[in-house]
Amino acid sequence: MNKKSKNVLLLVVLIAIIGIAVGYAALSQNLVLNGTATVKGASDWNVHFAEGTVVNADAQGVTDPTISLATDKLSGTFAATLEPGASVSYRVTVVNDGSIGAQFNECTVTPAVENGYVTCEVTPGDVDSVLVNGEEVHEFTVTLTCKDMENLPADSVTEEFTVNFEYVQEA
């Protein structure tokens, strides 16, 4: 083999090695895909409060118990005037009128820190199941309780809490 063909062969081998190295480096990189998803159509995702009622409106020491659902029906405001030791309960029903299955994730209460006189407790019913359109409902009980304290600033305390229930698409 002459010197010129050896140089050409050496150049081809060198280019092949560089190509393999670049190819390996390109294929060994992590591929990261970012994006967003949008649910289209009003009927696809439609989880909301169906109704809210006061369970024990005539309980002793309870005045003006009210429930007001937000216009988007994703949260509700619960209010009452309570005497020491009194409590009032509300029942709320969540339904799925959409075509995507929904799983209960969490609920948040605002204000998160209570004033020390009235507490807000949310008790979920059977929320382990997935809400599917028209098949079942999730019921929650929201209870406002005034502590039986001697140092209340008045004979009764008026308090208002907003409860937001968060649902996510079923896994």
Side-chain angles (χ1 to χ4, degrees):
M1 203 182 255
N2 65 16
K3 189 173 184 179
K4 191 173 187 180
S5 8
K6 285 182 183 178
N7 287 341
V8 170
L9 183 60
L10 183 60
L11 183 62
V12 169
V13 170
L14 186 60
I15 290 174
I17 290 173
I18 290 173
I20 291 171
V22 169
Y24 176 77
L27 293 176
S28 66
Q29 295 294 318
N30 289 332
L31 178 62
V32 178
L33 299 175
N34 293 320
T36 58
T38 303
V39 176
K40 295 191 179 203
S43 65
D44 292 335
W45 180 260
N46 191 3
V47 178
H48 61 273
F49 284 119
E51 64 179 325
T53 58
V54 181
V55 176
N56 56 343
D58 58 351
Q60 185 173 350
V62 177
T63 310
D64 299 325
T66 60
I67 177 173
S68 174
L69 300 180
T71 54
D72 62 4
K73 295 186 176 182
L74 299 176
S75 65
T77 301
F78 304 86
T81 300
L82 303 168
E83 294 177 4
S87 68
V88 62
S89 294
Y90 308 83
R91 181 168 294 121
V92 292
T93 304
V94 177
V95 298
N96 183 358
D97 287 335
S99 60
I100 300 172
Q103 181 68 48
F104 174 71
N105 187 37
E106 68 177 339
C107 76
T108 55
V109 177
T110 307
V113 177
E114 290 125 4
N115 65 12
Y117 303 117
V118 178
T119 60
C120 178
E121 179 182 356
V122 179
T123 307
D126 179 23
V127 293
D128 292 331
S129 61
V130 173
L131 276 181
V132 180
N133 184 350
E135 289 189 12
E136 64 180 87
V137 299
H138 284 170
E139 288 189 343
F140 296 85
T141 301
V142 177
T143 304
L144 303 183
T145 304
C146 183
K147 295 181 181 176
D148 196 6
M149 302 171 65
E150 293 180 12
N151 60 349
L152 282 177
D155 292 340
S156 61
V157 178
T158 301
E159 191 63 62
E160 177 179 288
F161 294 91
T162 300
V163 180
N164 184 25
F165 295 99
E166 181 182 312
Y167 279 78
V168 295
Q169 182 176 347
E170 76 173 305

